[in-house]
Amino acid sequence: MNLNVKQESFRIETVMCNLRNECFDFCVKDLSTNELNSTELDCVDKCSWRYLTTHKIISTAIERNEKSKGKR
C-alpha cells in the first residue's frame, strides 16, 4: 500500500472516530441498556450527517485556501 493511501485511510479513520465520540457523547444519555432508543438513534443519525457535512465544508475551504496560496 502506498503512502498516500495509508495517509488517506488514517485520515478517514480519524474523522470517523471523532464523529463516533462526538455524536455518542451528545446523543446517548441512558447507558443502562444495551441498545439505543429511537430518540438516540435519530439524534446519532442527524449528528453524523451534520458532522460529515461540516467536515466536508471545512476541508473544501482549507483546500481552496491552500490552492490560492500556491498560486501567489
Side-chain angles (χ1 to χ4, degrees):
M1 194 182 299
N2 73 32
L3 182 59
N4 289 338
V5 173
K6 286 182 181 181
Q7 287 174 330
E8 184 64 12
S9 177
F10 178 75
R11 188 188 67 76
I12 291 170
E13 184 178 333
T14 301
V15 167
M16 296 308 292
C17 183
N18 290 339
L19 178 149
R20 183 184 64 238
N21 291 337
E22 293 291 328
C23 291
F24 185 87
D25 290 345
F26 181 75
C27 296
V28 179
K29 306 300 182 203
D30 181 14
L31 298 176
S32 65
T33 65
N34 291 337
E35 295 182 10
L36 301 177
N37 63 40
S38 61
T39 304
E40 292 168 333
L41 284 171
D42 188 47
C43 180
V44 169
D45 183 48
K46 289 176 182 174
C47 177
S48 299
W49 186 86
R50 285 190 306 262
Y51 187 94
L52 290 173
T53 301
T54 303
H55 185 269
K56 183 177 179 180
I57 291 167
I58 292 169
S59 295
T60 301
I62 290 170
E63 275 183 34
R64 281 189 206 145
N65 188 31
E66 289 174 353
K67 286 180 182 178
S68 68
K69 285 181 180 179
K71 290 181 181 180
R72 291 182 193 171

